[in-house]
Amino acid sequence: MVHVSVIGCGHMGGALVRGLSAANHRVTACDVDESALEDLSGVADGTTTDLEAAASAPIVVLAVGPDIAGEVLAGLGLDPDQTVVSVAAGVSTSVLESTTDAAVVRMMPNLAAEYGEMAAAVTPEPTGDVAAVLADLGTVVTIEEDQMDLATAINGSGPAFVFYLIGAMQQAGIEGGLDSDDAAALAAQTFKGAAEIALQSDESVDELIDAVATEGGTTIEGMEVLWDSDVEDVLGEAVTAAEERSAEITAEVGEE
Ligand SMILES: NC(=O)C1=CN([C@@H]2O[C@H](COP(=O)(O)OP(=O)(O)OC[C@H]3O[C@@H](n4cnc5c(N)ncnc54)[C@H](OP(=O)(O)O)[C@@H]3O)[C@@H](O)[C@H]2O)C=CC1
Ligand SMILES: O=C(O)[C@@H]1CCC=N1
């Protein structure tokens, strides 16, 4: 068990608090907004609006907005024997390092941290307790700093893109006559199951599509529609738009 403070307990920080608590770490949840802490009082070991009280943990997760991340980190006055894990989109390691004496790990996680199913990109490679704690939240991949904008789009923003696709599948079911809850369950579980196969299998995505598409059957008819469409290009454009916004944020916070 490691003591971890999470500063900023909104959507992302709250998910991290829940995931870390579920993994039996000692978690202090800190937010200036008391209402953000209400739901976490039965989950975290402690909740506080006092940043100073949360600043003594060996691992401090910074989950406030990119616009204030540097300022909040500077105010914590962390020591060199502590590690700050910043999840703020677009805030570079060099900006973070210029505002703290603590070791810095920049991470782009996602909301599935709540269930230990996070896909996260980090730089630099974490070690020791930090690596162990992050691994408890899901899959952690070490990348280069200049790949962070792309990772922010792929695995940080990615859940929103997937929710959109789940919603489209669900809507098709409803329009075909399925009960709304049934359509929601079938669509979401199908994404989860397909993702599990993709993770577990040694086969390529094309080989997996082949495995579903029985000769002369139904799947190939749907796949022909997708292959003839611009869905792949549009998804690429969505990733690029999010990636470009991450780079813009870097420029914005770097200018302060
Ligand atoms: N949402 C996501 O899926 C992901 C988000 N991130 C990153 O996580 C960070 C937070 O995003 P998100 O959770 O969506 O945003 P939210 O607005 O949901 O959460 C931010 C929280 O921080 C609080 N806060 C503001 N100032 C302070 C302060 N000085 N000290 C402590 N807490 C403070 C806010 O309170 P108040 O509302 O009163 O301002 C709010 O509760 C961002 O940097 C984002 O880039 C990264 C990956 C995924
Ligand atoms: O939308 C955002 O800016 C944050 C970062 C990645 C996911 N949510």
Side-chain angles (χ1 to χ4, degrees):
M1 182 188 73
V2 179
H3 183 199
V4 184
S5 286
V6 179
I7 314 263
C9 295
H11 294 100
M12 192 61 242
L16 290 164
V17 168
R18 290 175 193 283
L20 290 164
S21 296
N24 293 318
H25 293 294
R26 183 180 149 211
V27 184
T28 301
C30 174
D31 199 293
V32 289
D33 181 359
E34 279 192 36
S35 67
L37 298 172
E38 274 166 20
D39 289 347
L40 298 174
S41 59
V43 178
D45 295 270
T47 60
T48 180
T49 55
D50 177 7
L51 271 75
E52 210 173 306
S56 61
I59 301 173
V60 176
V61 177
L62 187 64
V64 298
D67 54 330
I68 58 167
E71 177 193 334
V72 172
L73 180 55
L76 294 175
L78 301 181
D79 295 328
D81 60 349
Q82 294 176 279
T83 298
V84 61
V85 179
S86 168
V87 304
V91 182
S92 68
T93 304
S94 60
V95 163
L96 296 163
E97 284 175 341
S98 71
T99 58
T100 185
D101 292 333
V104 169
V105 171
R106 181 181 175 191
M107 173 166 81
M108 181 43 57
N110 66 29
L111 290 184
E114 176 164 354
Y115 304 107
E117 295 288 349
M118 168 183 85
V122 294
T123 192
E125 185 168 14
T127 56
D129 278 353
V130 179
V133 164
L134 298 183
D136 283 340
L137 295 170
T139 296
V140 180
V141 174
T142 302
I143 63 170
E144 300 297 326
E145 178 84 23
D146 65 6
Q147 297 173 315
M148 269 297 190
D149 293 329
L150 180 56
T152 298
I154 298 276
N155 66 280
S157 301
F161 306 154
V162 174
F163 296 148
Y164 175 87
L165 295 173
I166 291 173
M169 194 86 106
Q170 179 183 339
Q171 192 55 31
I174 293 168
E175 283 170 14
L178 284 179
D179 170 80
S180 171
D181 288 346
D182 290 346
L186 291 172
Q189 180 62 37
T190 296
F191 271 76
K192 183 181 177 185
E196 191 61 38
I197 294 169
L199 285 167
Q200 300 284 345
S201 173
D202 291 334
E203 293 185 288
S204 69
V205 165
D206 285 340
E207 287 168 332
L208 293 175
I209 291 171
D210 272 352
V212 183
T214 307
E215 200 175 333
T218 63
T219 310
I220 195 65
E221 298 301 322
M223 286 309 306
E224 294 290 0
V225 173
L226 288 173
W227 284 324
D228 285 347
S229 78
D230 58 1
V231 166
E232 194 172 336
D233 290 342
V234 170
L235 271 175
E237 286 169 26
V239 168
T240 301
E243 180 185 5
E244 287 175 355
R245 178 59 191 141
S246 178
E248 269 175 26
I249 294 171
T250 305
E252 286 168 13
V253 300
E255 281 161 13
E256 285 175 355

